[in-house]
Amino acid sequence: MGEVMKMKHVDIYTDGACRGNPGRGGWGAILVFAGREKELCGGEPMTTNNRMELLGAIRALEALREPCDVTLTSDSKYLTDAINKGWLESWKAKGWRKADRSPVLNVELWQRIDELLGIHKVRFVWVHGHMGHEYNERCDVLATTFADSFEHM
């Protein structure tokens, strides 16, 4: 009685890319659980790099079928600093406005991330991009390949 079920731990790696900013964009994500990997990718024909960074994290977290303990690794300071430095909480408390009272950009994506953080326990880790980190490099290939797919449309 009263035994707490332990959440499954999932490692998530994400990256976003944009050909031009704004331009053709893509995101890539890899979920790693119990020795298995799942790759996800997507994008938009006209977007920004920051939107793709956020969408990669959102789509990866949305792919989880139950509340999980997550380590999410990204090369996006925009994403990781917003969480780790408390910007997201501050924006939310100020009605989705920044310290200078200007509106938060990509607010609907930040609101979705906030919702997902209410479901999953997520630790955000920043990794320097394009420095040989295996999963970051693979996510970059997923993101850029998807972005490039719009070239032929």
Side-chain angles (χ1 to χ4, degrees), residues 1-95:
M1 179 181 135
E3 185 176 322
V4 177
M5 285 187 49
K6 187 176 178 189
M7 292 175 128
K8 294 176 181 171
H9 180 80
V10 179
D11 288 302
I12 294 177
Y13 303 88
T14 66
D15 195 23
C18 207
R19 302 298 197 192
N21 200 15
R24 295 173 283 122
W27 57 266
I30 302 171
L31 289 73
V32 181
F33 171 71
R36 294 187 311 274
E37 297 178 1
K38 180 175 184 170
E39 293 183 350
L40 306 171
C41 61
E44 297 175 359
M46 184 55 67
T47 189
T48 65
N49 187 68
N50 282 342
R51 288 186 67 80
M52 293 297 94
E53 295 285 2
L54 297 179
L55 269 175
I58 289 167
R59 297 297 180 246
L61 291 169
E62 287 176 341
L64 301 173
R65 296 185 180 139
E66 62 189 72
C68 293
D69 174 55
V70 176
T71 300
L72 192 150
T73 302
S74 170
D75 65 6
S76 171
K77 287 292 232 174
Y78 180 60
L79 173 61
T80 60
D81 281 356
I83 306 300
N84 294 336
K85 294 185 176 184
W87 302 345
L88 178 67
E89 285 303 315
S90 176
W91 297 335
K92 186 177 167 183
K94 293 176 183 171

Side-chain angles (χ1 to χ4, degrees), residues 12 16 21 23 25 30 38 48 50 56 60 71 80 84 91 96-97 102 109 113-114 125 134 139-141 145 147:
I12 294 177
N21 200 15
I30 302 171
K38 180 175 184 170
T48 65
N50 282 342
T71 300
T80 60
N84 294 336
W91 297 335
W96 298 102
R97 296 210 170 262
S102 65
L109 300 179
I113 287 173
D114 186 51
V125 176
E134 175 191 358
C139 286
D140 181 64
V141 169
T145 300

